Amino acid sequence: MSWFNRRSRGAEATPTKLDREATREDLAALEEFVASRRGVEFYLEPETTATDTTVVAIAHDGEWIRRRTGTPRAAGSIARKHAVPLYEAARTGYPERMRTWSRAHPERHAR
């Protein structure tokens, strides 16, 4: 009996993409954030089945934005172009200043 395996093997091989791809506007938003703030660092978030590869850009005061980049290579390219450090969020975690800023500005990132 196959009660727990109702999907065909072909369906399992095809990943589901629930989110949109990165756009030029996403990359432009990251570049604008870097140009208009001090001490920006990038934190790379890997692609998942629900979201494309993203970068969280965090300024010196903890203000942050998250945008899609499409690939880790595209994130690295923007980081090199603007001399911004790029960290893997899964390895380093996020800085405390980001959480502090988010608590002080709940209206900005309310979901």
Side-chain angles (χ1 to χ4, degrees), residues 27-28 31 34 42 73-85:
L27 302 178
E31 291 189 345
V34 169
F42 282 177
R73 181 175 286 179
S77 177
I78 294 171
R80 280 188 303 281
K81 178 180 175 183
H82 295 283
V84 173

Side-chain angles (χ1 to χ4, degrees), residues 1-106:
M1 282 181 125
S2 182
W3 287 95
F4 299 106
N5 189 8
R6 294 187 180 251
R7 292 190 300 179
S8 70
R9 293 214 185 271
E12 290 176 17
T14 306
T16 302
K17 197 73 164 173
L18 302 177
D19 202 6
R20 66 175 175 81
E21 297 289 321
T23 64
R24 291 180 194 213
E25 290 79 19
D26 290 325
L27 302 178
L30 286 171
E31 291 189 345
E32 189 278 325
F33 190 85
V34 169
S36 63
R37 287 154 180 90
R38 304 186 286 118
V40 175
E41 298 173 333
F42 282 177
Y43 290 82
L44 182 69
E45 300 173 323
E47 178 179 357
T48 67
T49 57
T51 306
D52 210 354
T53 301
T54 55
V55 164
V56 177
I58 306 173
H60 79 285
D61 61 354
E63 182 181 5
W64 61 276
I65 64 167
R66 175 180 284 117
R67 295 292 183 272
R68 292 161 188 82
T69 60
T71 65
R73 181 175 286 179
S77 177
I78 294 171
R80 280 188 303 281
K81 178 180 175 183
H82 295 283
V84 173
L86 176 64
Y87 304 104
E88 289 183 50
R91 290 183 185 213
T92 64
Y94 301 99
E96 182 60 34
R97 69 181 185 273
M98 176 186 172
R99 291 183 281 282
T100 301
W101 189 89
S102 292
R103 283 191 297 270
H105 299 88

